[in-house]
Amino acid sequence: MNRSLVQGARITKARDYTHIFQQGIHSQGKFWKLIASPSVQASPRLGLAISKKICKRAVDRNLFKRIARETFRQHQDEFDLLDFVVMIKNMPNTNNQELASDLLSLLKNAKQVLKS
């Protein structure tokens, strides 16, 4: 069983990031920033923009990426045709569960806002 995020569920092209940054809705949680936009693809997609200015060490950036991808992968069936770009606000001193729950609440709130 493959537990990774499939290639079709990732935002990889610069023009897609540009479109989402310009047209999407911005929201913030305790640890994360999120930009959401309706998707033209057949499934919800996730993009990651974890900055070196905020997370100096690669191991920290990779941890946040893993948490974001896993949270999205577990709940991607709930997000119908939306694109998300996820960023970290600052270096949190917390556990992974708290980070995941904060991101999940942001994702669900963005879905509600875009549906209405």
Side-chain angles (χ1 to χ4, degrees):
M1 173 198 297
N2 189 0
R3 302 191 77 178
S4 65
L5 190 61
V6 295
Q7 185 66 28
R10 297 180 187 193
I11 299 171
T12 57
K13 295 191 173 26
R15 70 174 186 261
D16 292 339
Y17 276 99
T18 303
H19 174 74
I20 294 168
F21 274 102
Q22 291 174 350
Q23 305 295 325
I25 61 156
H26 296 248
S27 60
Q28 294 188 37
K30 188 174 179 183
F31 306 113
W32 301 94
K33 293 179 188 175
L34 179 76
I35 303 170
S37 174
S39 178
V40 294
Q41 301 295 323
S43 65
R45 298 185 305 163
L46 176 71
L48 300 166
I50 308 298
S51 171
K52 283 185 183 179
K53 287 184 179 181
I54 295 171
C55 301
K56 304 282 187 226
R57 299 179 335 153
V59 67
D60 294 330
R61 291 191 301 276
N62 292 338
L63 172 69
F64 296 128
K65 289 177 188 179
R66 278 194 304 273
I67 291 170
R69 278 194 296 263
E70 183 63 15
T71 303
F72 180 78
R73 187 190 64 79
Q74 288 176 346
H75 300 277
Q76 71 184 15
D77 296 336
E78 301 171 25
F79 311 120
D80 26 85
L81 303 182
L82 296 175
D83 288 341
F84 300 101
V85 174
V86 174
M87 298 170 279
I88 196 77
K89 277 175 62 172
N90 53 22
M91 276 297 292
N93 285 334
T94 186
N95 60 17
N96 295 351
Q97 185 66 22
E98 214 174 323
L99 287 167
S101 66
D102 184 45
L103 179 59
L104 184 59
S105 68
L106 274 176
L107 291 168
K108 288 183 178 181
N109 287 343
K111 176 187 169 189
Q112 292 296 333
V113 169
L114 286 172
K115 266 197 158 183
S116 58

